[in-house]
Amino acid sequence: MELMEHQVNALAIIKKKPRKILAMEQGLGKTTIGIHACEQTENIKRVLIIVPSKNIVIWKDEYAKWFPDVEVLAYSGELADENKVIVSIDTIKLKTHFGKFASKHWDIVIVDEAQELCGATSKQSLVLVPFIKQIPRVLLLTGTPQRNRPSELFNLLSMIDPGTFCNRKAFTTKFCDGHYNKFKKWEERGATNVEELHELLGKYMIRATKAQVLSYLPRCTEEIVEMTQTGSFDLTLRETRREYMNLLTAYNKRPSRDKLLAVQAKVMEWWRLSGQAKAEYFIEWFKPYFESCAPTDKFLIWCEHVSVAKKLHQSIVENLGQDCLIVTGENSTPLNRKHMFKNLNSLDHPLRIGICNYRSCQDSLTITPGPNKIIFTEFPWTYATKVQAKARTHRIGTIREILYMYLKLAGSHDELAIRKLKMKEELFDAIVDGCVSHS
């Protein structure tokens, strides 16, 4: 086995620069680069790898593949004198475990899915960010350093350069339109001085996209599928939309915290009802489409809510007579999800349809080379979720062209979601990749 050219180039930079954000797109082998950084950099003996719990097995397997003679401990409560330790974010943030790690010297810390530490007030950020700042070498792995807005970059930058990024309010004032809102609470939800922030981020980040380094990958295309509704959900969605607009108007006229909470609750209800409506009408669109496709086509269907996944699964089994895989947090664990997709990934196996929800499957899984028709029944709330979900099927190992289809239902939450996601995508492209939108 050999590293790919972009991995070799990234590794060379990491060896020279002790603190970096490795922000390559999903599917370009960031885990492999991180492992080689630990094993091939001088004066690194004690290694701490902090990951989401579902990624522990992936790191163990990847380490065994490249360096089978190296012993790596997956922490489960006891820590002695092990030199290389993998621990979950959810575990190390707890007081009963954190002290065991904080009392030891580490030569390098790697944080996988480092965007999980972007929250200004989350417990894991408050515990882990100050700890990580003190470690001599830091490598932060993330394909989406900015999930929604630029304020999420501050914690990442402060872990890489604590001396420069020591004042959150100063950073968010300059780059996030930071200000005190009508409730005299600090707000940092905007974006300002975008080009300058892109230049600044580039000093600390190693970035590569699939288009840049995997030009041989089969192309992927996107399309929006307009759905129509004729049932009882039509009136329900219209009424929910009207209630949301009324609440929003009332809040804008005379803001209050209670009115804001009411707006937020109503938009979440609208989102949930929209998913249920599309699940109800899904089979009317999907059955003729499925029957028109080639027998070799395989389908992966994404959704947000488990109730929507269950309804889709029931409709497909009852109306198509097809076996259908369903993977959610209710019927799977991080340990068995990879195996659950084995038959869908196989081009020789007759299983053609799989359903999964974002929370369980949006990151860390490789769902290739099987599915080539990817259907988003519900629009995700964050741009990063959309990117992560797409990357499960378009990455190293993809051998067929991929079609991404986004189901849009008139009168639903979709129009708001599409508009918000477009804004977040343009902002991400401008800050992370330096692409300026002219739309």
Side-chain angles (χ1 to χ4, degrees):
M1 295 185 297
E2 293 184 357
L3 295 179
M4 302 178 72
E5 183 180 359
H6 70 275
Q7 294 174 316
V8 172
N9 294 339
L11 184 60
I13 296 172
I14 293 166
K15 288 179 179 179
K16 294 178 182 178
K17 302 288 185 179
R19 311 176 79 88
K20 276 290 182 181
I21 302 171
L22 183 58
M24 291 180 172
E25 276 189 340
Q26 294 83 357
L28 293 183
K30 294 187 293 295
T31 302
T32 300
I33 297 170
I35 289 171
H36 280 77
C38 296
E39 297 302 319
Q40 296 183 357
T41 305
E42 292 183 358
N43 302 319
I44 288 183
K45 181 179 179 182
R46 295 187 57 79
V47 175
L48 176 61
I49 303 171
I50 303 173
V51 306
S53 57
K54 53 191 171 185
N55 291 14
I56 290 176
V57 173
I58 293 172
W59 276 83
K60 285 277 290 183
D61 290 348
E62 196 73 5
Y63 234 113
K65 181 174 75 174
W66 288 96
F67 298 96
D69 297 329
V70 174
E71 184 176 347
V72 181
L73 171 72
Y75 176 79
S76 59
E78 298 298 326
L79 188 64
D81 296 320
E82 293 85 1
N83 286 328
K84 294 180 173 65
V85 181
I86 304 173
V87 62
S88 75
I89 295 173
D90 288 338
T91 297
I92 193 175
K93 73 180 182 183
L94 300 177
K95 187 176 180 179
T96 51
H97 300 285
F98 177 72
K100 299 177 184 179
F101 292 90
S103 63
K104 295 185 179 296
H105 170 79
W106 303 99
D107 297 315
I108 186 172
V109 59
I110 295 179
V111 183
D112 192 15
E113 305 295 347
Q115 73 276 2
E116 296 297 324
L117 301 183
C118 73
T121 58
S122 68
K123 180 177 180 179
Q124 54 206 39
S125 295
L126 294 174
V127 171
L128 295 178
V129 170
F131 166 63
I132 291 169
K133 289 179 182 179
Q134 302 173 29
I135 296 176
R137 281 185 171 270
V138 177
L139 183 60
L140 307 180
L141 276 56
T142 173
T144 50
Q146 176 183 297
R147 294 192 294 188
N148 276 315
R149 53 185 65 93
S151 60
E152 297 161 344
L153 294 170
F154 179 78
N155 278 0
L156 301 184
L157 291 168
S158 70
M159 286 185 280
I160 298 300
D161 188 350
T164 300
F165 300 96
C166 56
N167 188 324
R168 184 180 185 93
K169 186 168 287 188
F171 177 88
T172 55
T173 298
K174 183 170 185 178
F175 296 114
C176 313
D177 189 28
H179 62 278
Y180 287 98
N181 62 20
K182 299 171 183 177
F183 308 114
K184 298 183 179 180
K185 182 180 179 181
W186 186 252
E187 189 169 294
E188 48 186 43
R189 299 170 61 84
T192 46
N193 300 304
V194 167
E195 291 184 12
E196 183 179 351
L197 180 55
H198 167 68
E199 294 295 329
L200 181 64
L201 183 61
K203 297 177 181 178
Y204 300 95
M205 177 180 71
I206 303 172
R207 176 69 174 167
T209 66
K210 290 191 284 284
Q212 292 170 334
V213 300
L214 296 182
S215 57
Y216 61 84
L217 273 185
R219 70 180 183 128
C220 61
T221 55
E222 296 183 304
E223 66 177 43
I224 291 180
V225 177
E226 301 280 354
M227 298 182 72
T228 57
Q229 54 178 324
T230 57
S232 60
F233 272 104
D234 183 26
L235 181 61
T236 303
L237 285 177
R238 292 181 186 277
E239 179 63 19
T240 305
R241 181 184 185 279
R242 186 187 64 79
E243 292 172 355
Y244 164 72
M245 295 303 298
N246 288 342
L247 289 169
L248 184 61
T249 299
Y251 169 77
N252 288 332
K253 285 183 177 179
R254 186 172 293 180
S256 71
R257 195 171 301 279
D258 288 344
K259 289 179 180 178
L260 177 61
L261 292 174
V263 170
Q264 293 171 340
K266 185 57 66 174
V267 78
M268 296 301 287
E269 178 187 353
W270 191 19
W271 185 29
R272 177 180 55 80
L273 289 172
S274 297
Q276 291 177 356
K278 285 196 279 189
E280 186 73 24
Y281 307 134
F282 175 81
I283 201 67
E284 296 179 16
W285 167 78
F286 184 65
K287 184 176 181 179
Y289 179 73
F290 176 81
E291 292 172 346
S292 71
C293 290
T296 53
D297 287 333
K298 292 200 171 195
F299 302 80
L300 182 65
I301 303 169
W302 287 100
C303 55
E304 169 67 27
H305 300 93
V306 174
S307 60
V308 172
K310 290 179 177 179
K311 176 62 178 177
L312 294 172
H313 182 263
Q314 179 185 359
S315 295
I316 289 170
V317 172
E318 291 179 353
N319 291 278
L320 294 181
Q322 290 278 327
D323 288 335
C324 180
L325 171 71
I326 180 171
V327 183
T328 70
E330 291 187 357
N331 73 336
S332 69
T333 69
L335 295 177
N336 69 3
R337 281 176 196 144
K338 180 180 178 180
H339 177 75
M340 292 178 75
F341 282 100
K342 180 179 179 180
N343 291 338
L344 188 65
N345 282 338
S346 171
L347 298 178
D348 298 322
H349 195 278
L351 179 66
R352 296 180 61 195
I353 307 172
I355 302 169
C356 55
N357 71 324
Y358 300 124
R359 189 179 298 273
S360 300
C361 305
Q362 73 178 33
D363 52 32
S364 307
L365 287 171
T366 296
I367 310 177
T368 60
N372 63 318
K373 308 284 189 181
I374 318 301
I375 301 167
F376 289 78
T377 56
E378 296 182 272
F379 287 91
W381 197 253
T382 67
Y383 173 65
T385 298
K386 174 187 172 184
V387 173
Q388 292 272 15
K390 287 178 61 180
R392 298 311 100 212
T393 48
H394 193 245
R395 59 197 295 119
I396 297 171
T398 300
I399 60 175
R400 300 197 286 179
E401 291 189 2
I402 305 292
L403 173 61
Y404 295 102
M405 291 168 280
Y406 303 88
L407 304 189
K408 177 185 175 184
L409 182 63
S412 73
H413 175 265
D414 294 345
E415 292 182 5
L416 176 63
I418 291 171
R419 186 168 68 251
K420 293 285 187 181
L421 284 171
K422 180 65 175 175
M423 292 169 55
K424 293 171 182 177
E425 179 179 6
E426 291 177 353
L427 190 58
F428 180 94
D429 289 345
I431 292 174
V432 177
D433 292 322
C435 303
V436 179
S437 172
H438 298 287
S439 60

